[in-house]
């Protein structure tokens, strides 16, 4: 027991120090041969430091992942030749094309360098989620390597939420989530349900393939939407080759496919870069039951000997502690012993402290539906007005910041701005 506590402390300390000292990079710079100059490409959400930091506090991380004290994760990251990278990418068991170029190399360097600690963590997290991803992808008969999309989308953090409002492991926007059958209300957000969201994502990816017939274009479309990919195809003279339409895609999407290739590479060749996976202890068996009456986590916690943290972690789709079963049956995932206790307790679970606990419901619904004030706004900031001829790059340089930071502060996904528009720069 003492060793486990010490190991978890080492895990949090090691990753915590890395998070404190790591350079907060949200973009990389590549040379654009067509334009003849360097160009900044934003990193996907799952490669940004804030996603890695939040993953440290995720329930699975705290309870089932431990740092391997016998593994020297501080070993030097070896240098490899272009030919070695090409050969490794060619040997991946994939049907999706995994080419090597300078942009892909930049993203591999991010994972094997600055983000090597987060790769260790994601290798541990993948033991929880890969079986779910693989089953969903296989059910739609689409490539299994697409299981690495959540690596670049959310860093395998089911609680991830982007500034644009995308949520969950697969980072669904509300409109797309609802289109693919995910319930999203003030009480329920199934984008955060790993199983339901994975099935919805597989369905969406299959539909995108039916449109484009090319998996690389599907991956780009998953990031920016099929309309933007179709616009890029038209601007490229009708070419459906990703690297031909690459200059015409939104800036953030240009890095998305290279990041996906790099994620496939690093999740398979981590050993070659002296990256150690964290140790994973798989949790005890869980199962799902359907409840046809409203019930609260507090009632289950107090009568079925299961912690509130575990209930929340196993049922991330519920925005509050209320499982709304009155309107229609709702699923509830618990450890097997808790399910047995729940069944044995019968009606007493639903009646336990019901008058007191259900008085909270109306307040919680209103709180869940209300927009939350940004903590950054509460600390103050500074805004500028966009001038005619301005670009995000020019505004960033004038104000000592980066394009990625401007996008983050203003909830932007692209580079479109207009004269007279107010932009936060601090």
């Amino acid at each position: 027991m003492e060793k486990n506590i010490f190991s978890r402390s080492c895990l949090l300390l090691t990753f915590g120090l890395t998070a404190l000292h790591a350079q907060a990079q949200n973009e990389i710079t590549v040379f654009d041969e067509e334009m003849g100059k360097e160009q900044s490409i934003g990193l996907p959400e799952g490669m940004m430091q804030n996603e890695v930091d939040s993953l440290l506090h995720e329930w699975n991380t705290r309870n089932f992942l431990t740092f391997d004290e016998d593994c020297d994760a501080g070993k030097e990251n070896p240098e490899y030749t272009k030919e070695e990278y090409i050969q490794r990418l060619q040997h991946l068991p994939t049907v999706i094309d995994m080419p090597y170029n300078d942009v892909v190399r930049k993203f591999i360097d991010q994972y094997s360098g600055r983000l090597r600690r987060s790769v260790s963590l994601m290798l541990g997290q993948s033991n929880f989620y890969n079986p779910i991803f693989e089953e969903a992808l296989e059910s739609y008969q689409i490539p299994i390597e697409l299981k690495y999309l959540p690596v670049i989308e959310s860093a395998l953090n089911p609680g991830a939420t982007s500034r644009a409002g995308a949520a969950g492991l697969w980072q669904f926007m509300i409109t797309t989530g609802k289109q693919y059958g995910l319930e999203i209300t003030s009480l329920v957000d199934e984008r955060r349900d790993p199983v339901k969201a994975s099935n919805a994502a597989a369905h969406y990816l299959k539909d995108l393939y039916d449109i484009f017939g090319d998996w690389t274009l599907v991956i780009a479309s998953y990031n920016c939407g099929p309309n933007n990919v179709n616009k890029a195809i038209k601007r490229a003279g009708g070419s459906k080759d990703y690297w031909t339409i690459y200059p015409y895609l939104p800036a953030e999407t240009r890095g998305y496919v290279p990041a996906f290739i790099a994620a496939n590479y690093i999740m398979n060749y981590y050993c070659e870069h002296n990256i150690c996976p964290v140790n994973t202890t798989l949790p005890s068996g869980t199962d799902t039951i359907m409840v046809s009456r409203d019930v609260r986590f507090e009632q289950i916690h107090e009568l079925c000997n299961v912690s509130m943290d575990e209930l929340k972690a196993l049922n991330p789709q519920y925005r509050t502690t209320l499982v709304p079963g009155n309107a229609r049956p709702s699923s509830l995932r618990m450890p097997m012993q808790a399910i047995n206790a729940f069944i044995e307790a019968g009606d007493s679970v639903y009646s336990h402290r019901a008058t007191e606990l259900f008085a909270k419901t109306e307040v919680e619904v209103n709180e869940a539906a209300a927009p939350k004030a940004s903590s950054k706004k509460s600390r103050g900031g500074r805004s500028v007005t966009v001038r005619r001829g301005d670009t995000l790059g020019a505004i960033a340089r004038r104000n000592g910041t980066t394009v990625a930071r401007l996008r983050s502060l203003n909830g932007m996904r692209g580079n479109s701005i207009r004269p007279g528009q107010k932009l936060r720069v601090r």
Side-chain angles (χ1 to χ4, degrees):
M1 176 61 72
E2 291 181 359
K3 180 176 180 181
N4 283 340
I5 294 173
F6 176 73
S7 297
R8 288 185 182 122
S9 299
C10 285
L11 172 70
L12 293 174
L13 177 62
T14 303
F15 280 93
L17 289 174
T18 302
L20 286 172
H21 296 294
Q23 184 179 359
Q25 296 179 350
N26 291 334
E27 59 185 28
I28 62 171
T29 302
V30 297
F31 185 78
D32 189 319
E33 294 183 359
E34 183 172 321
M35 299 178 68
K37 62 180 182 180
E38 288 189 337
Q39 187 178 45
S40 293
I41 297 178
L43 298 180
E45 292 276 346
M47 296 184 75
M48 295 185 185
Q49 191 63 51
N50 61 318
E51 290 299 340
V52 177
D53 292 346
S54 62
L55 186 56
L56 289 171
H57 303 288
E58 204 267 333
W59 188 77
N60 281 336
T61 303
R62 291 185 285 109
N63 287 275
F64 301 113
L65 301 183
T66 54
F67 184 70
D68 188 348
E69 298 167 31
D70 298 324
C71 178
D72 184 4
K75 287 181 180 177
E76 183 179 351
N77 181 20
E79 290 286 334
Y80 293 107
T81 65
K82 170 183 175 180
E83 289 71 27
E84 287 173 301
Y85 282 113
I86 292 172
Q87 184 180 53
R88 288 175 187 167
L89 286 167
Q90 288 176 341
H91 285 169
L92 288 174
T94 65
V95 298
I96 299 175
D97 191 28
M98 301 279 171
Y100 173 90
N101 55 42
D102 290 342
V103 184
V104 172
R105 173 64 181 273
K106 287 264 188 177
F107 279 93
I108 291 175
D109 289 345
Q110 288 282 312
Y111 277 127
S112 61
R114 181 178 68 89
L115 294 172
R116 59 192 291 111
R117 295 286 189 178
S118 34
V119 171
S120 295
L121 199 55
M122 289 189 291
L123 286 164
Q125 287 285 96
S126 67
N127 290 310
F128 305 127
Y129 298 118
N130 274 358
I132 297 172
F133 300 159
E134 290 169 1
E135 183 174 348
L137 296 168
E138 181 64 23
S139 70
Y140 281 89
Q141 292 294 292
I142 58 179
I144 297 298
E145 56 266 29
L146 290 166
K147 68 184 178 182
Y148 295 122
L149 273 180
V151 168
I152 61 174
E153 284 285 353
S154 61
L156 296 184
N157 182 359
T161 303
S162 77
R163 282 193 163 269
L169 289 162
W170 293 89
Q171 290 290 279
F172 269 106
M173 296 294 287
I174 289 178
T175 302
T176 310
K178 286 185 174 181
Q179 182 182 347
Y180 283 87
L182 298 178
E183 182 181 358
I184 304 167
T185 68
S186 295
L187 292 173
V188 179
D189 186 352
E190 290 183 340
R191 295 176 297 169
R192 302 185 186 281
D193 183 316
V195 175
K196 291 184 178 179
S198 295
N199 280 290
H203 190 175
Y204 182 36
L205 290 164
K206 176 64 167 61
D207 284 352
L208 290 173
Y209 186 76
D210 290 341
I211 294 171
F212 294 105
D214 179 278
W215 285 112
T216 308
L217 296 183
V218 166
I219 295 165
S221 299
Y222 192 87
N223 176 251
C224 68
N227 288 339
N228 281 320
V229 172
N230 278 322
K231 288 177 186 176
I233 290 171
K234 289 179 181 177
R235 293 179 66 190
S239 173
K240 291 189 175 182
D241 174 70
Y242 172 80
W243 298 103
T244 302
I245 71 169
Y246 174 87
Y248 306 106
L249 289 167
E252 68 272 16
T253 307
R254 293 175 205 162
Y256 194 77
V257 169
F260 173 75
I261 296 170
N264 272 267
Y265 173 90
I266 203 67
M267 296 297 278
N268 284 277
Y269 292 112
Y270 54 89
C271 283
E272 282 74 5
H273 293 271
N274 290 326
I275 296 175
C276 303
V278 295
N279 292 328
T280 305
T281 303
L282 292 178
S284 57
T286 63
D287 204 349
T288 299
I289 60 171
M290 303 301 291
V291 295
S292 299
R293 295 163 61 182
D294 286 358
V295 65
R296 302 195 70 104
F297 288 166
E298 291 91 339
Q299 295 171 298
I300 300 167
H301 157 62
E302 291 172 14
L303 293 189
C304 302
N305 193 29
V306 56
S307 74
M308 290 288 289
D309 282 347
E310 186 166 11
L311 284 169
K312 291 174 183 177
L314 292 175
N315 300 276
Q317 69 272 31
Y318 298 120
R319 294 180 186 266
T320 72
T321 64
L322 175 67
V323 182
N326 282 351
R328 62 182 180 85
S330 294
S331 64
L332 180 64
R333 180 169 291 277
M334 293 188 291
M336 291 302 302
Q337 70 272 16
I339 288 181
N340 293 334
F342 184 93
I343 294 170
E344 289 176 7
D347 287 346
S348 61
V349 175
Y350 299 100
S351 59
H352 177 68
R353 295 176 58 205
T355 302
E356 172 193 352
L357 292 171
F358 282 94
K360 299 180 180 180
T361 303
E362 185 176 346
V363 174
E364 288 185 340
V365 169
N366 291 333
E367 288 178 348
K372 293 180 174 57
S374 168
S375 59
K376 292 187 178 179
K377 287 185 180 178
S378 66
R379 294 194 295 267
R382 187 164 75 86
S383 298
V384 299
T385 301
V386 177
R387 305 191 298 239
R388 187 173 298 279
D390 265 347
T391 63
L392 281 183
I395 295 171
R397 287 191 294 273
R398 284 202 304 267
N399 293 278
T401 186
T402 66
V403 170
R405 179 66 174 159
L406 289 178
R407 290 198 200 103
S408 177
L409 284 171
N410 294 279
M412 300 169 61
R413 292 192 59 91
N415 293 322
S416 297
I417 53 177
R418 62 183 185 281
Q421 179 181 354
K422 293 284 187 182
L423 288 180
R424 291 185 63 209
V425 296
R426 290 285 187 277

